[in-house]
Amino acid sequence: MGSLTTGMNKHKTSKSSPAQEKITILKVQEPAELMSFLIEAMPSRGRNALKSILARGQVFVDSKPVTKYNHPLQPGQQVSIHWAKVMEQVKLVGVHILHEDEDLIVIQKEAGLLSVSATKDVEEVTAYRQLMEYVRRSNPKNRIFVVHRLDRDTSGVMMFAKNEKTQQALQNAWQDAVLERSYIALVEGEVKKPEGTITSWLKESKTLLMYSSHKEDDGQKAITHYTVMQTTREFSLLQVELETGRKNQIRVHMKDIGHPVVGDKKYGSKTNIIGRLGLHARILAFEHPTTGKALKFESRIPEKFMRPFQK
């Protein structure tokens, strides 16, 4: 098997014989990130082509498949590209990955998908179980850790940790770490106050229904801010900012002001013009627990939410 040294003299390349599976082997001679390393080692292949072979699981570092472009490489490691071998892809249902690094995954979840199962039913499809399978494709020891939840019928941005340290760091400093948590709510009726703040103490009934108490410290304190974006006599579109993140908080508070979320029969809705719950987690901004960098992820308002305001 022949070998050649690149002009930069930073890594060596060799190829298998035609009778074997076509593999390109690269020797790492200086610290680098995987994507930068591939671009320099194979300048004839465009960045997008290299991104594709990474995404398809065709790049291996020391015989382990790696899909992260910023995976750190150290001298002495071996990078191999298996041109004919494609790692079996995990088909994510109702989940779109917005961001992934060594510590966390940020996703957009579709309405109707459970974030995390409350039971041990291994057949139940959840965002958590799908992501667990996804991260274990590259390393069977990888895991996913729950940071927060979205209701099954709420769509939008949410995140999971990839290690226990990150999970604990985020949960322990949630109020300080989260810089913005904004929702879009389609509610029944005309909300006449252009903006407002709702404060109450949330409790849970024996039937697992959340409700408000206005007696101080009688439950978990919940604070919700809202701004009216559009309104008619029948419906209003609100931007909702959470100061606290309690179970069913927005749904309960919208019921409290007499404007339940569309499609939320559990909390008093009488209409379902869009065929789903009218609640969408639009923005999640937070300080990364490891890097300290401020990250912001935004999801489009579902088109269905605009139907009541189209002539």
PDB file of all heavy atoms in Angstrom, residues 114-133:
ATOM      1  N   LEU A 114     -44.290  13.623  22.223  1.00  0.00           N
ATOM      2  CA  LEU A 114     -43.992  13.735  23.645  1.00  0.00           C
ATOM      3  C   LEU A 114     -42.499  14.021  23.821  1.00  0.00           C
ATOM      4  O   LEU A 114     -41.656  13.419  23.161  1.00  0.00           O
ATOM      5  CB  LEU A 114     -44.359  12.427  24.340  1.00  0.00           C
ATOM      6  CG  LEU A 114     -44.561  12.409  25.859  1.00  0.00           C
ATOM      7  CD1 LEU A 114     -45.696  13.345  26.255  1.00  0.00           C
ATOM      8  CD2 LEU A 114     -44.847  10.997  26.318  1.00  0.00           C
ATOM      9  N   SER A 115     -42.173  14.960  24.708  1.00  0.00           N
ATOM     10  CA  SER A 115     -40.757  15.267  24.973  1.00  0.00           C
ATOM     11  C   SER A 115     -40.091  14.095  25.669  1.00  0.00           C
ATOM     12  O   SER A 115     -39.060  13.580  25.231  1.00  0.00           O
ATOM     13  CB  SER A 115     -40.627  16.512  25.861  1.00  0.00           C
ATOM     14  OG  SER A 115     -41.166  17.638  25.245  1.00  0.00           O
ATOM     15  N   VAL A 116     -40.675  13.690  26.787  1.00  0.00           N
ATOM     16  CA  VAL A 116     -40.152  12.610  27.616  1.00  0.00           C
ATOM     17  C   VAL A 116     -41.332  11.779  28.104  1.00  0.00           C
ATOM     18  O   VAL A 116     -42.352  12.334  28.520  1.00  0.00           O
ATOM     19  CB  VAL A 116     -39.384  13.161  28.835  1.00  0.00           C
ATOM     20  CG1 VAL A 116     -38.780  12.029  29.650  1.00  0.00           C
ATOM     21  CG2 VAL A 116     -38.304  14.136  28.402  1.00  0.00           C
ATOM     22  N   SER A 117     -41.210  10.479  28.068  1.00  0.00           N
ATOM     23  CA  SER A 117     -42.303   9.615  28.505  1.00  0.00           C
ATOM     24  C   SER A 117     -42.418   9.611  30.030  1.00  0.00           C
ATOM     25  O   SER A 117     -41.417   9.616  30.743  1.00  0.00           O
ATOM     26  CB  SER A 117     -42.077   8.189  28.013  1.00  0.00           C
ATOM     27  OG  SER A 117     -43.118   7.350  28.473  1.00  0.00           O
ATOM     28  N   ALA A 118     -43.648   9.597  30.496  1.00  0.00           N
ATOM     29  CA  ALA A 118     -43.887   9.517  31.935  1.00  0.00           C
ATOM     30  C   ALA A 118     -43.981   8.058  32.386  1.00  0.00           C
ATOM     31  O   ALA A 118     -44.061   7.768  33.566  1.00  0.00           O
ATOM     32  CB  ALA A 118     -45.184  10.244  32.280  1.00  0.00           C
ATOM     33  N   THR A 119     -43.943   7.146  31.410  1.00  0.00           N
ATOM     34  CA  THR A 119     -44.040   5.718  31.716  1.00  0.00           C
ATOM     35  C   THR A 119     -42.778   5.001  31.236  1.00  0.00           C
ATOM     36  O   THR A 119     -41.878   5.614  30.659  1.00  0.00           O
ATOM     37  CB  THR A 119     -45.261   5.089  31.025  1.00  0.00           C
ATOM     38  OG1 THR A 119     -45.028   5.059  29.605  1.00  0.00           O
ATOM     39  CG2 THR A 119     -46.516   5.903  31.307  1.00  0.00           C
ATOM     40  N   LYS A 120     -42.719   3.712  31.438  1.00  0.00           N
ATOM     41  CA  LYS A 120     -41.579   2.917  30.995  1.00  0.00           C
ATOM     42  C   LYS A 120     -41.885   2.188  29.690  1.00  0.00           C
ATOM     43  O   LYS A 120     -41.207   1.223  29.332  1.00  0.00           O
ATOM     44  CB  LYS A 120     -41.173   1.925  32.088  1.00  0.00           C
ATOM     45  CG  LYS A 120     -40.629   2.601  33.343  1.00  0.00           C
ATOM     46  CD  LYS A 120     -40.160   1.579  34.368  1.00  0.00           C
ATOM     47  CE  LYS A 120     -39.591   2.274  35.602  1.00  0.00           C
ATOM     48  NZ  LYS A 120     -39.112   1.315  36.621  1.00  0.00           N
ATOM     49  N   ASP A 121     -42.883   2.670  28.966  1.00  0.00           N
ATOM     50  CA  ASP A 121     -43.266   2.061  27.705  1.00  0.00           C
ATOM     51  C   ASP A 121     -42.169   2.302  26.662  1.00  0.00           C
ATOM     52  O   ASP A 121     -42.019   3.404  26.142  1.00  0.00           O
ATOM     53  CB  ASP A 121     -44.588   2.668  27.219  1.00  0.00           C
ATOM     54  CG  ASP A 121     -45.056   2.070  25.903  1.00  0.00           C
ATOM     55  OD1 ASP A 121     -44.386   1.138  25.414  1.00  0.00           O
ATOM     56  OD2 ASP A 121     -46.072   2.541  25.352  1.00  0.00           O
ATOM     57  N   VAL A 122     -41.380   1.273  26.376  1.00  0.00           N
ATOM     58  CA  VAL A 122     -40.249   1.425  25.468  1.00  0.00           C
ATOM     59  C   VAL A 122     -40.684   1.598  24.012  1.00  0.00           C
ATOM     60  O   VAL A 122     -39.871   1.980  23.167  1.00  0.00           O
ATOM     61  CB  VAL A 122     -39.284   0.216  25.567  1.00  0.00           C
ATOM     62  CG1 VAL A 122     -38.652   0.161  26.936  1.00  0.00           C
ATOM     63  CG2 VAL A 122     -40.011  -1.098  25.256  1.00  0.00           C
ATOM     64  N   GLU A 123     -41.953   1.322  23.717  1.00  0.00           N
ATOM     65  CA  GLU A 123     -42.442   1.463  22.351  1.00  0.00           C
ATOM     66  C   GLU A 123     -42.891   2.888  22.059  1.00  0.00           C
ATOM     67  O   GLU A 123     -43.048   3.257  20.894  1.00  0.00           O
ATOM     68  CB  GLU A 123     -43.620   0.496  22.112  1.00  0.00           C
ATOM     69  CG  GLU A 123     -43.267  -0.975  22.263  1.00  0.00           C
ATOM     70  CD  GLU A 123     -42.210  -1.421  21.263  1.00  0.00           C
ATOM     71  OE1 GLU A 123     -42.271  -0.989  20.107  1.00  0.00           O
ATOM     72  OE2 GLU A 123     -41.316  -2.192  21.661  1.00  0.00           O
ATOM     73  N   GLU A 124     -43.096   3.695  23.098  1.00  0.00           N
ATOM     74  CA  GLU A 124     -43.599   5.055  22.903  1.00  0.00           C
ATOM     75  C   GLU A 124     -42.535   5.946  22.273  1.00  0.00           C
ATOM     76  O   GLU A 124     -41.404   6.013  22.746  1.00  0.00           O
ATOM     77  CB  GLU A 124     -44.047   5.644  24.245  1.00  0.00           C
ATOM     78  CG  GLU A 124     -44.815   6.941  24.106  1.00  0.00           C
ATOM     79  CD  GLU A 124     -45.522   7.317  25.404  1.00  0.00           C
ATOM     80  OE1 GLU A 124     -45.055   6.887  26.472  1.00  0.00           O
ATOM     81  OE2 GLU A 124     -46.517   8.032  25.334  1.00  0.00           O
ATOM     82  N   VAL A 125     -42.896   6.606  21.177  1.00  0.00           N
ATOM     83  CA  VAL A 125     -41.958   7.483  20.477  1.00  0.00           C
ATOM     84  C   VAL A 125     -41.903   8.829  21.192  1.00  0.00           C
ATOM     85  O   VAL A 125     -42.922   9.500  21.367  1.00  0.00           O
ATOM     86  CB  VAL A 125     -42.380   7.689  19.006  1.00  0.00           C
ATOM     87  CG1 VAL A 125     -41.424   8.662  18.305  1.00  0.00           C
ATOM     88  CG2 VAL A 125     -42.402   6.353  18.272  1.00  0.00           C
ATOM     89  N   THR A 126     -40.723   9.223  21.625  1.00  0.00           N
ATOM     90  CA  THR A 126     -40.528  10.515  22.291  1.00  0.00           C
ATOM     91  C   THR A 126     -39.277  11.176  21.714  1.00  0.00           C
ATOM     92  O   THR A 126     -38.425  10.517  21.106  1.00  0.00           O
ATOM     93  CB  THR A 126     -40.327  10.348  23.812  1.00  0.00           C
ATOM     94  OG1 THR A 126     -39.078   9.672  24.044  1.00  0.00           O
ATOM     95  CG2 THR A 126     -41.460   9.550  24.452  1.00  0.00           C
ATOM     96  N   ALA A 127     -39.166  12.492  21.923  1.00  0.00           N
ATOM     97  CA  ALA A 127     -37.955  13.200  21.493  1.00  0.00           C
ATOM     98  C   ALA A 127     -36.747  12.639  22.231  1.00  0.00           C
ATOM     99  O   ALA A 127     -35.687  12.413  21.637  1.00  0.00           O
ATOM    100  CB  ALA A 127     -38.111  14.698  21.771  1.00  0.00           C
ATOM    101  N   TYR A 128     -36.912  12.381  23.510  1.00  0.00           N
ATOM    102  CA  TYR A 128     -35.815  11.872  24.349  1.00  0.00           C
ATOM    103  C   TYR A 128     -35.277  10.542  23.825  1.00  0.00           C
ATOM    104  O   TYR A 128     -34.070  10.367  23.647  1.00  0.00           O
ATOM    105  CB  TYR A 128     -36.324  11.731  25.787  1.00  0.00           C
ATOM    106  CG  TYR A 128     -35.371  11.032  26.729  1.00  0.00           C
ATOM    107  CD1 TYR A 128     -34.298  11.727  27.302  1.00  0.00           C
ATOM    108  CD2 TYR A 128     -35.538   9.692  27.058  1.00  0.00           C
ATOM    109  CE1 TYR A 128     -33.420  11.089  28.163  1.00  0.00           C
ATOM    110  CE2 TYR A 128     -34.668   9.045  27.931  1.00  0.00           C
ATOM    111  CZ  TYR A 128     -33.613   9.748  28.481  1.00  0.00           C
ATOM    112  OH  TYR A 128     -32.749   9.114  29.334  1.00  0.00           O
ATOM    113  N   ARG A 129     -36.170   9.583  23.569  1.00  0.00           N
ATOM    114  CA  ARG A 129     -35.731   8.259  23.132  1.00  0.00           C
ATOM    115  C   ARG A 129     -35.067   8.305  21.750  1.00  0.00           C
ATOM    116  O   ARG A 129     -34.095   7.600  21.492  1.00  0.00           O
ATOM    117  CB  ARG A 129     -36.913   7.291  23.123  1.00  0.00           C
ATOM    118  CG  ARG A 129     -37.339   6.901  24.536  1.00  0.00           C
ATOM    119  CD  ARG A 129     -38.036   5.545  24.555  1.00  0.00           C
ATOM    120  NE  ARG A 129     -38.260   5.154  25.946  1.00  0.00           N
ATOM    121  CZ  ARG A 129     -39.438   5.214  26.564  1.00  0.00           C
ATOM    122  NH1 ARG A 129     -40.486   5.659  25.916  1.00  0.00           N
ATOM    123  NH2 ARG A 129     -39.571   4.829  27.820  1.00  0.00           N
ATOM    124  N   GLN A 130     -35.607   9.142  20.871  1.00  0.00           N
ATOM    125  CA  GLN A 130     -35.008   9.257  19.541  1.00  0.00           C
ATOM    126  C   GLN A 130     -33.602   9.845  19.608  1.00  0.00           C
ATOM    127  O   GLN A 130     -32.685   9.385  18.924  1.00  0.00           O
ATOM    128  CB  GLN A 130     -35.886  10.133  18.647  1.00  0.00           C
ATOM    129  CG  GLN A 130     -37.209   9.498  18.266  1.00  0.00           C
ATOM    130  CD  GLN A 130     -37.943  10.343  17.250  1.00  0.00           C
ATOM    131  OE1 GLN A 130     -37.599  10.352  16.070  1.00  0.00           O
ATOM    132  NE2 GLN A 130     -38.945  11.092  17.702  1.00  0.00           N
ATOM    133  N   LEU A 131     -33.427  10.862  20.434  1.00  0.00           N
ATOM    134  CA  LEU A 131     -32.111  11.489  20.561  1.00  0.00           C
ATOM    135  C   LEU A 131     -31.122  10.564  21.264  1.00  0.00           C
ATOM    136  O   LEU A 131     -29.924  10.581  20.972  1.00  0.00           O
ATOM    137  CB  LEU A 131     -32.227  12.826  21.296  1.00  0.00           C
ATOM    138  CG  LEU A 131     -32.944  13.928  20.503  1.00  0.00           C
ATOM    139  CD1 LEU A 131     -33.160  15.151  21.375  1.00  0.00           C
ATOM    140  CD2 LEU A 131     -32.159  14.306  19.251  1.00  0.00           C
ATOM    141  N   MET A 132     -31.616   9.761  22.199  1.00  0.00           N
ATOM    142  CA  MET A 132     -30.757   8.782  22.855  1.00  0.00           C
ATOM    143  C   MET A 132     -30.201   7.800  21.816  1.00  0.00           C
ATOM    144  O   MET A 132     -28.995   7.497  21.793  1.00  0.00           O
ATOM    145  CB  MET A 132     -31.535   8.027  23.932  1.00  0.00           C
ATOM    146  CG  MET A 132     -30.675   7.061  24.732  1.00  0.00           C
ATOM    147  SD  MET A 132     -29.609   7.887  25.936  1.00  0.00           S
ATOM    148  CE  MET A 132     -30.781   8.090  27.296  1.00  0.00           C
ATOM    149  N   GLU A 133     -31.068   7.324  20.932  1.00  0.00           N
ATOM    150  CA  GLU A 133     -30.631   6.408  19.874  1.00  0.00           C
ATOM    151  C   GLU A 133     -29.665   7.115  18.921  1.00  0.00           C
ATOM    152  O   GLU A 133     -28.662   6.541  18.495  1.00  0.00           O
ATOM    153  CB  GLU A 133     -31.847   5.889  19.101  1.00  0.00           C
ATOM    154  CG  GLU A 133     -31.487   4.882  18.016  1.00  0.00           C
ATOM    155  CD  GLU A 133     -32.678   4.419  17.210  1.00  0.00           C
ATOM    156  OE1 GLU A 133     -33.814   4.789  17.549  1.00  0.00           O
ATOM    157  OE2 GLU A 133     -32.460   3.698  16.209  1.00  0.00           O
TER     158      GLU A 133
END
